[in-house]
């Protein structure tokens, strides 16, 4: 396997730590990390800021499509820990897109075919040269079905809710656990039942249930897989 051209696709449920896992893999193997979930959150933020609350309607679809055509999404280094954060044009929107407000609405926008087509076109363009790690909910099934390594991450809804709860507390927020748990379950339902590109495990994806795993456990797990494929 050509390490420089490798594509690692990480699918799975929300709040399983896909982004953190993908970042660690990218850092360890000198690959480029692209956070696809952040793009959907970014679109949701822009839509709400422009009062587009019913993006499925014809009028609001046209309005949002026009706004997105003038928006330049980029992942730039934050300078703090080499992690890249999402910018819309020249504005860092990383903090805003991680709020519960966006989490409660993102599945609505992400389910729309024209938005998924827009995001997929960006991802495919960024992934042309390979050497990337991407995480999302249909990366291995729709965007990169021929990825070199496909991973499907999951964990119990309760554990995922606790993880997000702790993350939000660390960011200075005051979340309600039950609200977060309900949001996790609702997003699972919406992701798994949406008409366009529903969340599902690719047949050749490797299942990773990290309910009882540490980040160190996960890195040992992926190191073994990569070593087997590259050696």
């Amino acid at each position: 396997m050509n390490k420089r051209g490798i594509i690692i696709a990480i699918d799975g449920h929300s709040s399983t730590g896909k982004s953190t896992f993908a970042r660690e893999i990218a850092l360890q193997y000198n690959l480029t990390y692209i956070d696809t979930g952040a793009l959907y959150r970014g679109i949701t933020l822009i839509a709400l800021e422009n009062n587009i609350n019913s993006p499925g309607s014809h009028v609001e679809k046209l309005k949002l499509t026009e706004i997105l055509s003038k928006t330049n999404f980029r992942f730039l280094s934050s300078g703090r820990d080499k992690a890249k954060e999402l910018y819309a044009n020249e504005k860092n929107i990383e903090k805003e897109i991680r709020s519960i407000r966006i989490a409660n609405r993102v599945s609505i926008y992400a389910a729309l075919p024209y938005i998924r087509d827009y995001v997929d076109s960006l991802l495919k363009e960024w992934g042309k040269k390979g050497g990337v790690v991407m995480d999302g909910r249909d990366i291995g099934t729709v965007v990169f079905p021929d990825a070199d390594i496909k991973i499907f991450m999951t964990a119990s809804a309760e554990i995922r809710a606790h993880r997000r709860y702790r993350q939000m507390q660390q960011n200075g927020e005051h979340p309600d656990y039950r609200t977060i748990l309900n949001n996790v379950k609702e997003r699972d339902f919406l992701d798994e039942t949406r008409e366009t590109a529903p969340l599902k495990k690719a047949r050749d994806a490797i299942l990773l249930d990290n309910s009882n795993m540490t980040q160190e456990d996960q890195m040992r797990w992926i190191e073994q897989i990569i070593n087997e494929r590259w050696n």
Side-chain angles (χ1 to χ4, degrees):
M1 183 182 296
N2 183 352
K3 185 176 178 181
R4 290 184 179 179
I6 190 174
I7 294 178
I8 299 178
I10 304 177
D11 292 358
H13 291 105
S14 65
S15 300
T16 51
K18 297 187 298 295
S19 298
T20 300
F21 187 39
R23 283 192 186 98
E24 289 297 319
I25 295 173
L27 182 62
Q28 180 156 331
Y29 293 96
N30 196 27
L31 304 173
T32 299
Y33 166 63
I34 299 175
D35 183 353
T36 64
L39 285 172
Y40 286 110
R41 286 172 173 264
I43 292 169
T44 302
L45 175 66
I46 287 173
L48 294 179
E49 287 181 339
N50 287 275
N51 298 314
I52 300 175
N53 294 294
S54 301
S57 72
H58 180 67
V59 173
E60 294 203 347
K61 174 183 175 180
L62 292 177
K63 182 179 178 181
L64 182 54
T65 299
E66 181 180 1
I67 292 171
L68 292 177
S69 70
K70 300 175 182 177
T71 303
N72 179 25
F73 285 113
R74 294 183 297 167
F75 287 98
L76 300 176
S77 176
S78 64
R80 293 192 294 272
D81 55 3
K82 296 184 179 180
K84 292 189 176 182
E85 298 182 341
L86 184 63
Y87 282 69
N89 296 327
E90 301 303 318
K91 181 183 178 183
N92 185 325
I93 60 173
E94 190 70 24
K95 185 173 182 179
E96 292 113 301
I97 66 175
R98 302 302 173 183
S99 69
I100 192 67
R101 170 182 175 238
I102 300 301
N104 283 335
R105 299 284 292 171
V106 64
S107 288
I108 296 172
Y109 295 82
L112 296 170
Y114 75 94
I115 290 179
R116 301 201 72 81
D117 288 343
Y118 169 77
V119 171
D120 288 353
S121 66
L122 291 180
L123 298 177
K124 289 175 181 177
E125 182 64 30
W126 292 341
K128 278 183 179 179
K129 295 182 179 180
V132 298
V133 183
M134 294 191 184
D135 69 279
R137 293 186 183 84
D138 59 2
I139 299 303
T141 55
V142 176
V143 184
F144 290 106
D146 298 321
D148 300 288
I149 296 177
K150 301 179 191 177
I151 300 167
F152 188 92
M153 292 180 67
T154 190
S156 72
E158 290 75 15
I159 286 177
R160 287 184 281 141
H162 274 296
R163 288 172 178 168
R164 192 188 301 172
Y165 177 81
R166 289 194 298 270
Q167 182 183 44
M168 294 177 71
Q169 282 187 319
Q170 291 170 357
N171 290 336
E173 300 179 58
H174 304 283
D176 174 72
Y177 170 75
R178 297 303 306 181
T179 299
I180 295 174
L181 178 60
N182 290 336
N183 174 254
V184 167
K185 292 180 177 180
E186 180 181 8
R187 288 181 67 184
D188 285 352
F189 176 78
L190 291 172
D191 287 338
E192 292 168 359
T193 60
R194 68 184 176 225
E195 184 176 351
T196 302
L199 172 66
K200 61 181 179 180
K201 177 181 175 293
R203 286 189 299 174
D204 55 346
I206 307 167
L207 180 65
L208 173 58
D209 186 331
N210 65 4
S211 296
N212 299 303
M213 295 176 71
T214 65
Q215 291 184 19
E216 290 75 16
D217 292 334
Q218 291 179 158
M219 288 309 297
R220 285 193 290 269
W221 180 86
I222 190 61
E223 285 168 15
Q224 180 177 353
I225 291 171
I226 289 177
N227 287 337
E228 290 174 355
R229 302 266 179 121
W230 280 349
N231 293 331

